[in-house]
Amino acid sequence: MLDFYGKKLTSRLFLGTAQYPSPTILEDAVKTSGAQVVTVSLRRESGEAKSGQTFWNMISDLGVHVLPNTAGCHTVKEAVTTAHMAREVFGTKWLKLEVISDNDTLCPDVLSLVEAARILVEDDFEVFPYTTEDLSIAGRLLDAGCKVLMPWGAPIGTGLGLNNIYGLKTMRAHFADVPLIIDAGLGLPSHAAHAAELGFDSVLVNTAIAKAGNPVAMAKAFSIAIEAGVMARTADPMEPRDMANPSTPVLGMASFT
């Protein structure tokens, strides 16, 4: 069972809620996948017009944990302000903290991220920082009070999978006791399985599911894949070899020469 800031979870799949063809399909995808956490952007809500109220009611009815995010924020001030608004709207201390460097790569601005994380942790937020696989930044985020890290697999929405296998394996080994969630860039269920095989605790997926021809089926596929990856890892898989090794012994076989 997973533990994120004291909340116990059985599902290893986090779902984003943007870009789905309809609220009904989103609802079906969440239910089919068994996901227990969904991320929600504050931008879906409109304080006065309540234009996002129907969406919020649907999310509330699903009975899942809501992880608000600061998507689209480019500065510490913007992220901190958005975080406070999100806590008021969604009624949770949880926060997926994003501080973006540029709009082309959507790469985290790691220096601003650390500063924003420190401010928010001091203000009693439970921060899930969207970061890179850089070990020094990861250490600074933990020192700032974060108890979870969310390194990217690849740039948001690209579907490229795990771009830096070496870096991610090193991060997993270096922070063996820290919950790690692969966030961004996954395109196929096999990417989620690979993340789990490397020892990552969970994955967060949005675009690959929402933009699939059948989002509900794809949500189920990701759910199965990450559990398969966990099972493979705990089954103690064989190590890769440089040379072929026959599965059928040749010792004792008849010779026809």
Side-chain angles (χ1 to χ4, degrees), residues 66-246:
V66 175
L67 179 60
N69 67 43
T70 60
C73 293
H74 289 78
T75 67
V76 172
K77 182 178 180 180
E78 188 179 8
V80 170
T81 300
T82 302
H84 281 90
M85 294 170 64
R87 181 163 63 180
E88 182 177 345
V89 170
F90 299 113
T92 178
K93 294 182 179 181
W94 276 18
L95 182 80
K96 180 191 171 189
L97 178 61
E98 297 182 26
V99 186
I100 301 302
S101 175
D102 66 88
N103 289 326
D104 291 327
T105 65
L106 299 180
C107 177
D109 178 345
V110 292
L111 299 181
S112 296
L113 179 69
V114 172
E115 183 180 351
R118 178 186 57 77
I119 292 170
L120 292 169
V121 168
E122 289 177 354
D123 199 24
D124 204 29
F125 281 87
E126 296 172 341
V127 177
F128 294 66
Y130 162 61
T131 185
T132 66
E133 64 276 19
D134 186 286
L135 298 185
S136 62
I137 295 299
R140 289 176 184 272
L141 288 167
L142 296 174
D143 290 343
C146 298
K147 297 182 180 179
V148 179
L149 298 174
M150 300 184 77
W152 64 350
I156 293 172
T158 61
L160 293 173
L162 306 180
N163 270 359
N164 184 357
I165 302 299
Y166 170 79
L168 291 171
K169 288 176 67 174
T170 302
M171 187 180 203
R172 177 67 286 178
H174 194 77
F175 299 107
D177 298 325
V178 177
L180 299 180
I181 304 167
I182 292 292
D183 176 20
L186 301 189
L188 294 169
S190 56
H191 298 156
H194 194 185
E197 289 166 3
L198 293 178
F200 286 84
D201 299 283
S202 303
V203 299
L204 170 57
V205 185
N206 191 168
T207 307
I209 294 175
K211 304 299 283 187
N214 186 336
V216 177
M218 188 62 78
K220 183 65 174 179
F222 266 95
S223 177
I224 294 171
I226 190 171
E227 292 304 328
V230 172
M231 291 179 67
R233 180 175 176 82
T234 57
D236 191 17
M238 64 172 284
E239 293 293 330
R241 301 184 178 118
D242 292 328
M243 300 294 292
N245 187 40

